[in-house]
Amino acid sequence: FQAKRIVSKKKSCLRYIINLRKSHFAVYVGEEEEETKRFVVPISYLKHPLFQALLRQAENEFGTDNSTKYLTIPCAEDVFIDVTSRLHRI
C-alpha cells in the first residue's frame, strides 16, 4: 500500500517536470494570481542582473516563504517577455 502512495506521489511530481527541457526551469508570470502564465526559461538566466531584478520583485511581493510550489513573478507578461528576449539575444 505504501509503495502505491510513493509511486503516485512521484507521478504527480513528474507532471511538473516532464515538459521541461534540460537546464531549464518553469516560472509563472502575471500580476494577478488567477491570470499567471507558465514560461520555461534557461537556468543561465538566474545569473543575469535583469532576471535577478524580477526575482527580487517576486521576493518583495511574496516574501521568501512562498506557500505555493511554483516560482511566480508578479509582473506584466509583456515585461517578462521583453526581459527574457533581451537575455536571449546576449
Side-chain angles (χ1 to χ4, degrees), residues 10 25 34 36 49 53 66 68 72 74 78 80-81 86-87 90:
K10 285 185 179 184
F25 67 99
E34 304 83 31
T36 59
N66 192 356
T68 67
T72 304
D78 58 336
F80 183 80
I81 291 170
R86 289 179 192 205
L87 296 177
I90 295 176

Side-chain angles (χ1 to χ4, degrees), residues 72-89:
T72 304
I73 297 179
C75 74
E77 184 180 330
D78 58 336
V79 171
F80 183 80
I81 291 170
D82 181 56
V83 168
T84 54
S85 65
R86 289 179 192 205
L87 296 177
H88 184 71
R89 286 183 253 157

Side-chain angles (χ1 to χ4, degrees), residues 12-89:
S12 66
C13 290
L14 286 174
R15 285 187 201 132
Y16 299 111
I17 298 169
I18 202 155
N19 292 326
L20 296 180
R21 290 175 267 166
K22 189 175 182 177
S23 63
H24 286 68
F25 67 99
V27 61
Y28 289 80
V29 176
E31 294 177 294
E32 299 296 326
E33 187 176 342
E34 304 83 31
E35 298 176 10
T36 59
K37 186 172 179 182
R38 182 178 186 255
F39 290 87
V40 176
V41 296
I43 289 175
S44 61
Y45 286 7
L46 292 172
K47 293 182 180 181
H48 197 280
L50 280 175
F51 199 82
Q52 289 174 356
L54 290 176
L55 293 176
R56 277 192 298 281
Q57 178 183 352
E59 182 179 12
N60 291 337
E61 176 96 9
F62 298 116
T64 55
D65 185 29
N66 192 356
S67 61
T68 67
K69 300 182 217 178
Y70 317 110
L71 174 58
T72 304
I73 297 179
C75 74
E77 184 180 330
D78 58 336
V79 171
F80 183 80
I81 291 170
D82 181 56
V83 168
T84 54
S85 65
R86 289 179 192 205
L87 296 177
H88 184 71
R89 286 183 253 157

